[in-house]
C-alpha cells in the first residue's frame, strides 16, 4: 500500500533481506558498531536533566550487534555522549555493557574522555579527568578508546600540550588503546584539535603521539569524513597500529582498501547497518572484494543522508531506524533529541532504509512511519 511521504508517494517493500545472526567472529577486519542508547520514554525529565536510560532495551540492542559478530564501541558519540548522556550516565553504561559483554562473549571498547569537567579546566585537571575515566573503563574489563576532549581543546595552547597530555595517559594505560580524532563536523568544540586548525599540522602531531608510543596504541579512529586524509594517515602508521575508519561517507572503499593496506571499522552507521555490515565483511573474508562492495556501496546514500550537516544530529536518524526496525518500542531520545531532524529528513531516512531491506518486519516499519506522519500532521 502506498505511503505518502513528504517527498512523494512510496511503495514500501514487502520482504526484508535475509540476515540471520551469526556470532562467528569476523576474520579479515575488526569491526565495531558505535551503539546508541535507548531512552526511558516514561521518565519525567526535561532536556536539561540527566538522561533516563531504558537499560533492558539498551543492553538488548548490544546483544543484537554481538549476535552478528560485531564488536560494540560503547559510550561514544553515537550514544549521545555530551549530547544528552553525561559522565555519570556514561559510567553506568560502561559498567553495564562491559558486564554484558563478558557474559555473552562479546567484544567491547569504551570511550574515556573528560566530560565530568563542567567548566574551564587546567591541563592537570584534564589529565586527572582522563585518568579517572581510563581507570573505570579498564577496571570494567573493556578496551579503552581515548576520546577527543572538549576540555583539552579549550585548555591546550598548542601541539606540545597535546603531546604531553597523551604521553602521560599512554604511559598509564594497562593495555593498548584506540586514539580517537573526532572532527568539528561532529563536535564544533573540537575545532583545532591537536593544536592547529591546519589539518596537515594537526596530522603531524597526531602521528607523533603514536610514533612515540606505538606499543600503547592498538589503533586510531579518524572521523574527519575525508577519505584521502585517512588513507594518507593509514599509510604512515607504525607497523601493527590499526586504522579504524570513522568515515561514514566513504567506509566501503576504506574498508576494502587497496594494494597498500585497508581500514578496520568503528562506525556509527554500523548501528542501523549492523547485520548487513557483518554479512558484507564475511563476504570480504572470502576475498570477494566486488561482492563486499556490491553489498555496502548501496548503503552510502543512506549514511550520507543521516550524517548530512549539521552532522552531530545524525543520532536522531539512527534512533529512528532502530525504532522502525523493532529494536525499541518508541522514538524518544535523551535530551529530547528526537526533535533535532525535520520530518522530511526522517521520512527520507525511512525510504532509503526500506529500499535496502534493513527492516526485519517491513509492515511494522511502515505502520510506525505512518504513526510518525500522523503525529506531525502529515498523514494521508
Amino acid at each position: 500500500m502506498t505511503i505518502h511521504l513528504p517527498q512523494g508517494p512510496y511503495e514500501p517493500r514487502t520482504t526484508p533481506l535475509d540476515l540471520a545472526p551469526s556470532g562467528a567472529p569476523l576474520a579479515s577486519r575488526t569491526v565495531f558498531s558505535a551503539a546508541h542508547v535507548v531512552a526511558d520514554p516514561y521518565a519525567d525529565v526535561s532536556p536539561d536533566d540527566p538522561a533516563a536510560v531504558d537499560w533492558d532495551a539498551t543492553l538488548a540492542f548490544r546483544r543484537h550487534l554481538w549476535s552478528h559478530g560485531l564488536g560494540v564501541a560503547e559510550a561514544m558519540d553515537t550514544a549521545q555522549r555530551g549530547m544528552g548522556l553525561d559522565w555519570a550516565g556514561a559510567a553506568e553504561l560502561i559498567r553495564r555493557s562491559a558486564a554484558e559483554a563478558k557474559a555473552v562473549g562479546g567484544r567491547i571498547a569504551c570511550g574515556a574522555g573528560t566530560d565530568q569537567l563542567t567548566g574551564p579546566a587546567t591541563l592537570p585537571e584534564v589529565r586527572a579527568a582522563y585518568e579517572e575515566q581510563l581507570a573505570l573503563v579498564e577496571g570494567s574489563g573493556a578496551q579503552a578508546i581515548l576520546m577527543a576532549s572538549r576540555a583539552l581543546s579549550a585548555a591546550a595552547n598548542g601541539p606540545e600540550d597535546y603531546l604531553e597530555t597523551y604521553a602521560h595517559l599512554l604511559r598509564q594505560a594497562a593495555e593498548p588503546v584506540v586514539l580517537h580524532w573526532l572532527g568539528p563536523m561532529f563536535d564544533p568544540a573540537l575545532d583545532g584539535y591537536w593544536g592547529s586548525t591546519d589539518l596537515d599540522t594537526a596530522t603531524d602531531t597526531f602521528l607523533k603521539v603514536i610514533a612515540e608510543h606505538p606499543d600503547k596504541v592498538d589503533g586510531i579512529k579518524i572521523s574527519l569524513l575525508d577519505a584521502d586524509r585517512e588513507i594518507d594517515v593509514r599509510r604512515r602508521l607504525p607497523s601493527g597500529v590499526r586504522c579504524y575508519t570513522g568515515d561514514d561517507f566513504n567506509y566501503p572503499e576504506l574498508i576494502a582498501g587497496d594494494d597498500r593496506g585497508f581500514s578496520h571499522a568503528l562506525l556509527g552507521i554500523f548501528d542501523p547497518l549492523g547485520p548487513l555490515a557483518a554479512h558484507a565483511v564475511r563476504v570480504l573474508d572470502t576475498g570477494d572484494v566486488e561482492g563486499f562492495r556490491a553489498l555496502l556501496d548501496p548503503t552510502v546514500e543512506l549514511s550520507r543522508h543521516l550524517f548530512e550537516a549539521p552532522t552531530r544530529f545524525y543520532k536522531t536518524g539512527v534512533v529512528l531506524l532502530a525504532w522502525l526496525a523493532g529494536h525499541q518500542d518508541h522514538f524518544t531520545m535523551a535530551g529530547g533529541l528526537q526533535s533535532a531532524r525535520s520530518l522530511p529528513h526522517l521520512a527520507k531516512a525511512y525510504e532509503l532504509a526500506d529500499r535496502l531491506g534493513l527492516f526485519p518486519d517491513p509492515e511494522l516499519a511502515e505502520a510506525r512511519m505512518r504513526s510518525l506522519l500522523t503525529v506531525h500532521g502529515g498523514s494521508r
Side-chain angles (χ1 to χ4, degrees):
M1 182 183 296
T2 300
I3 180 171
H4 291 273
L5 302 172
Q7 63 268 29
Y10 172 65
E11 295 287 339
R13 64 183 293 160
T14 58
T15 57
L17 292 177
D18 183 11
L19 298 170
S22 173
L26 307 179
S28 62
R29 304 289 189 272
T30 300
V31 181
F32 290 96
S33 165
H36 74 282
V37 292
V38 183
D40 179 354
Y42 295 110
D44 185 12
V45 294
S46 75
D48 293 329
D49 290 333
V53 178
D54 181 336
W55 294 112
D56 289 342
T58 293
L59 294 177
F61 187 75
R62 280 127 183 88
R63 291 193 297 271
H64 155 70
L65 295 172
W66 285 320
S67 75
H68 287 274
L70 299 166
V72 168
E74 189 57 277
M76 300 292 291
D77 187 61
T78 306
Q80 294 183 243
R81 188 81 177 264
M83 286 187 67
L85 189 71
D86 62 10
W87 166 236
E92 183 68 12
L93 178 62
I94 290 166
R95 284 189 286 262
R96 288 176 180 258
S97 292
E100 195 73 15
K102 184 177 180 180
V104 303
R107 182 166 186 169
I108 189 168
C110 300
T114 64
D115 47 332
Q116 70 269 57
L117 299 172
T118 57
T122 64
L123 288 173
E125 289 170 335
V126 170
R127 288 195 296 268
Y130 262 128
E131 289 168 357
E132 177 189 354
Q133 296 202 15
L134 179 61
L136 186 142
V137 170
E138 293 190 331
S140 74
Q143 182 180 17
I145 302 169
L146 288 184
M147 302 174 68
S149 163
R150 293 174 181 172
L152 178 56
S153 182
N157 291 315
E160 287 301 321
D161 287 339
Y162 287 89
L163 292 170
E164 291 175 8
T165 298
Y166 278 90
H168 178 82
L169 295 170
L170 291 173
R171 284 193 296 267
Q172 294 190 39
E175 301 291 341
V177 306
V178 176
L179 297 181
H180 185 194
W181 185 357
L182 190 69
M185 67 288 294
F186 290 94
D187 187 342
L190 299 177
D191 192 27
Y193 209 73
W194 304 109
S196 178
T197 54
D198 179 82
L199 287 180
D200 291 335
T201 302
T203 296
D204 289 342
T205 302
F206 182 49
L207 288 169
K208 188 174 181 180
V209 170
I210 300 162
E212 292 179 352
H213 307 276
D215 59 322
K216 287 298 187 77
V217 180
D218 163 71
I220 62 167
K221 169 178 159 59
I222 304 178
S223 300
L224 297 177
L225 305 182
D226 183 339
D228 290 339
R229 183 164 300 276
E230 178 173 323
I231 292 169
D232 174 66
V233 173
R234 187 174 76 194
R235 290 174 178 173
R236 296 165 65 186
L237 290 175
S239 177
V241 176
R242 297 183 178 97
C243 179
Y244 294 94
T245 186
D247 189 331
D248 300 279
F249 283 6
N250 303 292
Y251 51 93
E253 65 188 83
L254 291 165
I255 297 170
D258 54 33
D259 58 358
R260 296 177 61 185
F262 57 82
S263 295
H264 300 272
L266 198 166
L267 287 162
I269 191 57
F270 282 3
D271 179 304
L273 291 183
L276 179 55
H279 175 58
V281 174
R282 287 193 170 88
V283 171
L284 186 61
D285 289 345
T286 69
D288 184 0
V289 177
E290 290 186 1
F292 168 80
R293 294 294 300 268
L295 287 165
L296 270 199
D297 282 358
T299 69
V300 171
E301 184 180 4
L302 170 63
S303 189
R304 287 182 174 235
H305 176 72
L306 294 181
F307 285 79
E308 70 182 13
T311 302
R312 64 188 182 277
F313 296 127
Y314 74 88
K315 298 96 162 171
T316 302
V318 166
V319 174
L320 170 83
L321 297 184
W323 172 55
L324 296 177
H327 294 298
Q328 55 193 77
D329 295 331
H330 58 85
F331 180 41
T332 301
M333 297 177 67
L337 206 64
Q338 68 272 9
S339 65
R341 292 293 202 187
S342 68
L343 181 63
H345 177 93
L346 299 176
K348 186 65 175 179
Y350 159 72
E351 179 183 344
L352 292 172
D354 185 69
R355 289 187 187 279
L356 291 169
L358 295 184
F359 301 127
D361 184 342
E363 291 185 2
L364 174 67
E366 179 187 344
R368 288 184 169 183
M369 190 66 224
R370 288 184 184 278
S371 72
L372 186 66
L373 291 167
T374 299
V375 167
H376 280 264
S379 177
R380 284 187 290 169

